[in-house]
């Protein structure tokens, strides 16, 4: 009997392994496609997804070309999957207005992967719900005409450095990379306005701030790792967060330490001695903020509505306490907004605008006349006078953004 029992056990061992393998394959098969029925249930057209990776291969030619192909094939309301993550793409203007304006209170949170660098995760781009609203309330008054006028001298300093470099190239008549000049300009401006640090990145490309900015934008996730993260997000995202990452930790540490040092220095200074930059405006509002509701967050509409540019709108709102003061990490995060927007978006927009003006000399002459006339009337221009006095420049920038959008979705 003992021998028979042993034989049965021996026989059942391989069978158990086979059975477990079959169950595992069935579960993998189910997992590989289980997330891909949601768009169909919503009645939204989309490309056929592949197991595990979804429509990742659909975007192999690049996001811009693929988004245009998506609209062409599947219409103004379509969707796709990246890994198991579902995306709905809206390219109908009326529906976009509903999401971004009319029903905005339902769409305040942005999608987060969980892999955002710490400074970015603490920025207004990825804060959520009530905390997003509070921090956004801090930022809105910082972009009033009054506050922008206070920051204008710092922006002008960066402009003067740019003009000095361009003058040198113009006099030498040598070919040069103007995009690199614009990149240095935006780096200098962001360092000054958002991080309270004076740099000249054209002459000092090895300055620690410049080097760490380059490292931040050069860092990326290897493609095989990205495929694994998209295919198995519940396993890979927590794993990626806890695994050691020397580059990530050094970048986070540098920018955090930089802001902490600036805060410590300014806390020792009298109020009138502190630089009037964006960082200082955020520091001033660490504990309280103007009572700006979500309905007043739109800073673009007044520009196009034809309303008068008020000199001091930030005083129209009474201060109120935040639920908790801004942390140093959140202050660093808001400074990073300038870095993300300035380092590439402004650089690319200026580069394309320069190209378009160079290839359209009549437009270039017309713009130059407008700028020369404006400079005669306004030796030290303020924000409101810029809005009213340079309509053709505004058209040139708007047309550049239309033709070469730096952020197309």
């Amino acid at each position: 009997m003992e021998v028979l029992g042993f034989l049965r056990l021996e026989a059942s061992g391989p069978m158990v392994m086979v059975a477990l393998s079959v169950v595992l394959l069935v579960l993998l098969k189910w997992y590989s496609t289980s997330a891909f029925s949601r768009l169909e249930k919503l009645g939204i057209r989309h490309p056929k997804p592949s197991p595990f990776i979804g429509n990742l291969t659909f975007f192999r030619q690049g996001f811009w070309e693929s988004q245009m192909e998506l609209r062409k094939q599947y219409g103004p309301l379509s969707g796709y999957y990246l890994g198991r993550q579902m995306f709905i793409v809206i390219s109908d203007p009326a529906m976009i207005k509903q999401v971004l304006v009319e029903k905005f209170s339902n769409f305040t949170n942005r999608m987060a992967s969980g892999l955002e660098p710490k400074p970015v995760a603490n920025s207004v781009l990825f804060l959520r719900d009530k905390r997003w609203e509070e921090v956004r309330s801090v930022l809105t008054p910082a972009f009033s005409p009054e506050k922008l006028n206070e920051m204008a001298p710092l922006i002008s300093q960066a402009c003067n450095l740019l003009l000095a470099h361009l003058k040198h190239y113009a006099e030498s008549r040598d070919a040069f990379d103007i995009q690199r000049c614009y990149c240095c300009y935006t780096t200098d401006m962001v360092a000054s306005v958002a991080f309270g640090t004076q740099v000249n990145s054209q002459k000092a490309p090895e300055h620690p701030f410049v080097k760490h900015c380059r490292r931040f934008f050069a860092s990326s996730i290897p493609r095989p790792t990205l495929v694994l993260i998209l295919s198995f997000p519940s396993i890979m995202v927590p794993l990626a967060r806890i695994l050691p990452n020397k580059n990530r930790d050094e970048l986070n540490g540098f920018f955090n330490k930089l802001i902490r040092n600036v805060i410590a220095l300014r806390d020792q200074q009298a109020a009138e001695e502190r630089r009037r930059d964006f960082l200082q405006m955020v520091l001033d509002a660490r504990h309280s903020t103007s009572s700006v509701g979500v309905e007043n967050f739109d800073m673009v509409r007044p520009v196009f509505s034809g309303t008068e540019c008020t000199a001091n709108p930030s005083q129209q709102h009474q201060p109120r306490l935040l639920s908790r003061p801004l942390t140093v990490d959140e202050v660093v995060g808001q400074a990073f907004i300038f870095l993300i927007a300035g380092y590439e978006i402004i650089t690319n927009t200026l580069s394309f605008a320069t190209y378009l003006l160079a290839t359209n000399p009549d437009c270039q002459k017309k713009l130059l006349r407008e700028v020369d006339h404006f400079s005669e009337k306004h030796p030290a221009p303020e924000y409101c006078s810029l809005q009213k006095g340079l309509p053709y420049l505004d058209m040139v920038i708007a047309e550049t953004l239309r033709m070469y959008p730096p952020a197309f979705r």
Side-chain angles (χ1 to χ4, degrees), residues 128-142:
R128 304 179 75 78
D129 302 318
K130 187 66 178 176
R131 192 56 177 171
W132 170 83
E133 187 176 331
E134 289 183 339
V135 175
R136 186 67 165 77
S137 294
V138 172
L139 300 186
T140 300

Side-chain angles (χ1 to χ4, degrees), residues 107-138:
F107 298 95
T108 55
N109 291 335
R110 284 187 173 86
M111 186 196 74
S113 68
L115 295 174
E116 293 78 20
K118 189 172 178 59
V120 178
N122 284 300
S123 74
V124 76
L125 290 174
F126 290 104
L127 291 174
R128 304 179 75 78
D129 302 318
K130 187 66 178 176
R131 192 56 177 171
W132 170 83
E133 187 176 331
E134 289 183 339
V135 175
R136 186 67 165 77
S137 294
V138 172

